[in-house]
Amino acid sequence: MASRVSELTGAIRVRVPTLTSIPLPRAVDRRLLNQSWPVTELAPAPAGSGLKPILGDAGAPLIGHSLDFMRFGLEWAFRSYERYGPVTWTSAFGRRIIGLSGPEATQIALVNKDKAFSQEGWKFFIENFFPRGLMLMDFGEHHMHRRIMQQAFTRDRLTGYVGQMGPALREGVAAWAGNSHPRLYWSLKQLTLDVATRVFMGMSSDDDAGAINRAFVDTVRAGTAILRYPVPGGRWAAGLNGRKVLERYFAANLPEKRRTEGVDLFSALCHSTAEDGERFTDADVIDHMIFLMMAAHDTTTITSSAAAYYLAKHPEWQERAREESLALGDDIPDIEALEGLHTLDLVMKEALRLVAPVPSMARKTVKDTEVLGHYLPAGTLVSVNPTINHFAPECWTDPMRFDPERFNDERREDKSHRYAWMPFGGGAHKCIGLHFGTLEVKALLHEMLLAYRWSVPSAYEARWDYVSLPVPVDGLPMRLEKR
């Protein structure tokens, strides 16, 4: 019975917006967003320290501000920043959380010179679903695992991955021809999962693809469940079930990967060896594969969806990008050809600025520390928020406007501060697969440009659901026309 409930609720979650995304009159939204709560200190600063206490508010009883960020995303982040500045605190998911926003506060946390910020913050949200993922590791252990994993993302490996993904993307994009009005986000999500299955696992998609995709969705969204208990039909329970599905899937295929050395990522992790002979255990490989598969196809889906949306809204940029793609001819592009698609570079970077795939990064203070003169007590959850950096007026010209030229060599507004633009994170935990992700998004958009023109009504504005990673509430309805 419980499995039937989970199956039914899973189907509903794909087709129906979350409760926090249900449209309400704008006046109601404004009232919810602007509701005020008593301002208090997180903790008094130590006497004689010269530090300031962190100001913030707890929000609504019990739920705090959990629903506010899910519903309002950037708007709520801007409101909090304007009210309290770059260092504040809030209450969500039953915990007090320090928020760090803006380039200077971000740099202190991510450079982490005094090792006061650990990855423990992620464990509160996702350890039950992505245990032992690279993002959850700290210091020496993280360095060792990253050193081994880096062998799976060398230039030679990336060249091989591009060769594998090209035919899969061309075939997948061509299959959309029978649907002139797709919900593009879901089409892209299935396609990026197909590519991850082929390139990362060296296998073709099969009848399990739908279940695997659903398992990834459920595990990602579970981390921000307000009810953090496995109630049948709830997000927490769905995430735990999704994790079991993924473990079985990878464990069943691991022995063969150990026996033969292939060109896929799964095989690379099974055979990678550090200079000192250190290798991943079977459990390490499964944990890393689940995390990398999630990161590879979730963040790629978000980035390609955002880029496709802005190309639909700005057809002049779509035509400019198409001209460069057409100039490559009909052959599936290799890594050098993809790297030469300059317009897609600009568009993708701007899409990543406007819709950061990972809108916040969790940390935990392991000792008392300070940021910009504010006292942060040990043992506190911290949320580093790159979304504010991406719109900081001191870094960006007219930051709300879609303007890919800001990344051109003549302007390079992303160089205004080391942490002005940080869709891949920063510091020691900067995304290890950023080059792979960039190549996949460019390859996917290239195939779309060759096969179709796409558009949205002029009045249409995408709305993003921030329950976990940003997802278009309506699935991004799009009009596709074959070229």
Side-chain angles (χ1 to χ4, degrees), residues 73-378:
L74 284 175
E75 284 187 280
W76 188 82
F78 290 147
R79 172 189 169 279
S80 179
Y81 184 74
E82 290 166 2
R83 179 170 292 187
Y84 299 115
V87 185
T88 185
W89 76 271
T90 190
S91 177
F93 312 109
R95 300 288 295 272
R96 289 190 167 197
I97 302 174
I98 295 170
L100 301 180
S101 302
E104 296 300 328
T106 297
Q107 178 166 304
I108 292 168
L110 297 190
V111 173
N112 199 16
K113 284 184 178 179
D114 62 354
K115 292 184 168 55
F117 298 92
S118 81
Q119 299 300 109
E120 290 280 328
W122 282 117
K123 292 185 178 180
F124 173 76
F125 293 102
I126 64 173
E127 185 175 32
N128 287 278
F129 315 104
F130 298 101
R132 306 285 301 156
L134 192 65
M135 195 167 70
L136 280 72
M137 294 179 175
D138 272 309
F139 312 127
E141 181 184 45
H142 168 260
H143 178 71
M144 184 272 287
H145 276 252
R146 189 179 179 98
R147 192 158 39 91
I148 299 173
M149 193 179 296
Q150 193 67 57
Q151 297 180 45
F153 293 98
T154 62
R155 177 74 176 185
D156 286 345
R157 286 281 186 182
L158 289 174
T159 300
Y161 298 154
V162 168
Q164 292 173 272
M165 76 170 70
L169 288 170
R170 179 159 292 185
E171 176 186 329
V173 168
W176 299 347
N179 184 3
S180 61
H181 290 82
R183 300 275 174 173
L184 189 63
Y185 172 83
W186 294 109
S187 298
L188 288 168
K189 187 162 183 59
Q190 185 59 59
L191 179 53
T192 58
L193 177 65
D194 291 346
V195 170
T197 301
R198 296 190 193 193
V199 175
F200 278 22
M201 296 189 66
M203 302 174 185
S204 299
S205 297
D206 53 30
D207 293 339
D208 293 331
I212 297 300
N213 200 357
R214 185 70 251 163
F216 277 117
V217 172
D218 288 342
T219 51
V220 172
R221 294 174 76 85
T224 53
I226 294 175
L227 182 59
R228 307 175 79 78
Y229 188 79
V231 176
R235 278 200 283 132
W236 194 264
L240 294 175
N241 290 334
R243 170 72 193 191
K244 292 177 183 176
V245 169
L246 297 174
E247 285 179 347
R248 289 194 296 267
Y249 188 67
F250 286 102
N253 291 286
L254 190 144
E256 179 62 24
K257 296 297 177 181
R258 288 287 199 197
R259 281 193 294 270
T260 58
E261 188 164 359
V263 295
D264 55 277
L265 178 68
F266 198 177
S267 181
L269 293 184
C270 286
H271 296 277
S272 293
T273 307
E275 297 87 346
D276 57 3
E278 194 80 35
R279 300 181 70 185
F280 288 142
T281 66
D282 285 1
D284 288 336
V285 172
I286 291 171
D287 287 335
H288 287 316
M289 279 301 301
I290 291 174
F291 183 79
L292 287 171
M293 284 282 287
M294 176 276 295
H297 96 280
D298 257 335
T299 57
T300 300
T301 301
I302 294 164
T303 304
S304 54
S305 295
Y309 164 67
Y310 286 111
L311 288 172
K313 292 284 288 183
H314 301 274
E316 71 281 8
W317 277 96
Q318 188 178 146
E319 290 305 319
R320 176 172 159 179
R322 183 172 288 109
E323 286 179 13
E324 289 186 10
S325 286
L326 288 171
L328 293 183
D330 294 331
D331 292 341
I332 293 175
D334 59 16
I335 190 169
E336 287 80 13
L338 290 177
E339 289 171 337
L341 293 174
H342 178 61
T343 297
L344 282 184
D345 253 336
L346 301 180
V347 169
M348 192 183 77
K349 287 177 179 178
E350 180 71 334
L352 283 166
R353 184 184 72 86
L354 293 168
V355 186
V358 182
S360 64
M361 287 165 278
R363 298 291 188 269
K364 188 176 182 180
T365 52
V366 295
K367 59 184 178 180
D368 290 357
T369 189
E370 65 96 9
V371 173
L372 302 181
H374 292 84
Y375 168 63
L376 282 66

Side-chain angles (χ1 to χ4, degrees), residues 2-22:
S3 61
R4 177 58 182 158
V5 170
S6 297
E7 182 181 334
L8 179 60
T9 53
I12 292 172
R13 275 193 292 269
V14 172
R15 295 171 175 82
V16 179
T18 58
L19 290 176
T20 54
S21 301
I22 293 174

